[in-house]
């Protein structure tokens, strides 16, 4: 939970310290920006901070997930990503843009003459479809790091 503005360098340094100390994957939980008597977020600063935090966390190799704690504002606390009617607030639009457009891999590829294809993707879960003539194979795989994998069409 962020209760005041925090520079990206400080966030990254804290992630590095946790990484070195714990040597475990990092999941960012309870992501929200809460107002305090000392600091009040505006819709603009909340959206800017959402982009900053998500970008810093996304860039750190040990971070494996980011979880929004308050998705919908139900009690007028303004911490959520959406209004009670479900419409995204500016910080929710930033969240959606980053996860569904900027850091999203959607590729259509054709294999070379040896049947190989390559792509650059982000860590995460993927769905694939391989087609050749009337044959079609669908499935999923997880990309954890730079890696090679073989998928075979039967």
């Amino acid at each position: 939970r962020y209760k005041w503005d925090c520079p990206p360098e400080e966030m990254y340094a804290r992630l590095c310290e946790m990484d070195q100390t714990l040597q475990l994957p990092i999941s960012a939980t309870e992501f929200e920006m809460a107002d305090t008597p000392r600091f009040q977020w505006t819709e603009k600063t909340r959206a800017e901070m959402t982009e900053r935090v998500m970008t810093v966390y996304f860039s750190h190799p040990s971070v494996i997930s980011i979880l929004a704690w308050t998705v919908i504002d139900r009690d007028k606390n303004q911490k959520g990503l959406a209004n009670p009617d479900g419409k995204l607030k500016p910080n929710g639009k930033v969240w959606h843009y980053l996860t569904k457009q900027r850091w999203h891999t959607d590729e259509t590829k054709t294999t070379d003459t040896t049947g190989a294809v390559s792509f650059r993707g982000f860590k995460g879960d993927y769905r694939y479809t391989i087609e050749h003539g009337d044959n079609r194979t669908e499935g999923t795989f997880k990309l954890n790091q730079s890696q090679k994998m073989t998928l075979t069409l039967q």
Side-chain angles (χ1 to χ4, degrees):
R1 289 189 173 113
Y2 285 87
K3 296 183 178 183
W4 58 86
D5 198 0
C6 182
E9 300 82 12
E10 184 178 337
M11 283 183 245
Y12 199 83
R14 288 180 182 184
L15 289 171
C16 289
E17 184 180 327
M18 265 193 290
D19 186 35
Q20 290 173 356
T21 303
L22 303 172
Q23 297 180 352
L24 295 168
I26 299 170
S27 290
T29 62
E30 301 184 32
F31 177 83
E32 66 182 16
M33 274 139 285
D35 287 340
T36 67
R38 265 184 44 210
F39 190 88
Q40 302 289 308
W41 295 97
T42 66
E43 290 297 327
K44 182 179 184 224
T45 59
R46 191 173 270 121
E48 290 169 349
M49 187 67 166
T50 297
E51 182 175 20
R52 183 181 315 152
V53 171
M54 290 182 71
T55 300
V56 168
Y57 282 45
F58 186 82
S59 73
H60 195 282
S62 292
V63 174
I64 60 169
S65 65
I66 305 170
L67 173 71
W69 187 250
T70 306
V71 177
I72 295 178
D73 283 334
R74 296 199 188 280
D75 60 3
K76 308 264 192 267
N77 61 23
Q78 303 302 310
K79 295 183 287 190
L81 300 172
N83 291 313
D85 63 3
K87 290 180 90 174
L88 290 177
K89 295 169 32 180
N91 58 329
K93 289 178 182 178
V94 167
W95 183 287
H96 185 266
Y97 167 75
L98 292 174
T99 61
K100 297 299 182 185
Q101 292 179 12
R102 186 170 177 190
W103 300 329
H104 186 82
T105 305
D106 188 3
E107 297 275 345
T108 300
K109 297 279 193 167
T110 302
T111 61
D112 63 19
T113 56
T114 66
V117 67
S118 65
F119 77 96
R120 184 177 168 97
F122 295 107
K123 290 183 194 179
D125 299 324
Y126 285 83
R127 288 181 300 215
Y128 66 86
T129 303
I130 302 172
E131 295 177 337
H132 180 65
D134 293 336
N135 296 324
R136 180 183 176 113
T137 300
E138 296 181 5
T140 61
F141 67 91
K142 185 177 205 72
L143 186 60
N144 294 319
Q145 58 190 1
S146 294
Q147 63 192 62
K148 290 184 180 181
M149 59 180 30
T150 302
L151 303 172
T152 304
L153 179 64
Q154 300 296 326

